Amino acid sequence: MKFLPLVLAAAAAFTTLGAAAQPAGPATCDAKREAIGRDIEMAQSKGQKQRVRGLETALAEVNRNCTDAKLAAEHQKRIRAQERKVAERERDLRAAQEKGRASKIADREKKLHEAQAELQQLKGAQ
């Protein structure tokens, strides 16, 4: 039984690290094209033929479908989703505070701070 909290804590740490490591992404289609171009060059230098083909397909897709307006709309959509997540975390914290369990309160506060930090990161990438 003592093993379960340890596993849950480790899972939460990895989830947090994964979310923090995710870049906001290119803000324009030109930046997206440049990033894919750099990835293609790197894959070519390493002899990764399948990765090169996949990246070339991605580049063709960006050339065909990407617009800066579409990227901006997707970014705003991610911000709104994160704002909903922050609101949910605030509700969870209030519920834990009403019940008065210190361990739950600390956990909910931590999750709220993480969600708020992610929201600030998204807003900073505008």
Side-chain angles (χ1 to χ4, degrees):
M1 232 22 188
K2 292 182 180 183
F3 185 68
L4 183 60
L6 182 61
V7 170
L8 292 175
F14 283 114
T15 303
T16 302
L17 291 174
Q22 292 177 349
T28 66
C29 293
D30 287 337
K32 217 172 186 176
R33 286 183 196 94
E34 288 175 17
I36 293 172
R38 284 190 304 271
D39 289 347
I40 289 172
E41 289 174 9
M42 187 178 297
Q44 286 172 334
S45 71
K46 293 181 179 181
Q48 300 171 330
K49 294 177 184 178
Q50 281 197 281
R51 179 155 168 76
V52 170
R53 281 195 297 271
L55 289 167
E56 287 172 345
T57 301
L59 182 59
E61 195 68 26
V62 167
N63 287 333
R64 197 171 28 254
N65 296 317
C66 187
T67 64
D68 290 343
K70 196 183 291 185
L71 284 178
E74 288 172 4
H75 186 72
Q76 288 302 316
K77 185 177 178 181
R78 284 192 300 274
I79 288 174
R80 286 190 304 275
Q82 190 62 30
E83 287 172 338
R84 286 190 298 273
K85 187 174 183 178
V86 167
E88 178 183 343
R89 298 290 188 219
E90 288 171 342
R91 286 190 300 272
D92 290 347
L93 175 59
R94 280 193 300 274
Q97 288 170 333
E98 289 172 5
K99 292 180 182 178
R101 292 183 52 199
S103 63
K104 291 282 186 181
I105 292 171
D107 182 52
R108 300 304 190 269
E109 285 175 341
K110 180 181 173 217
K111 288 183 179 184
L112 174 59
H113 291 305
E114 290 170 356
Q116 289 171 331
E118 191 173 332
L119 177 60
Q120 288 306 315
Q121 182 181 5
L122 283 170
K123 285 185 174 182
Q126 285 182 328

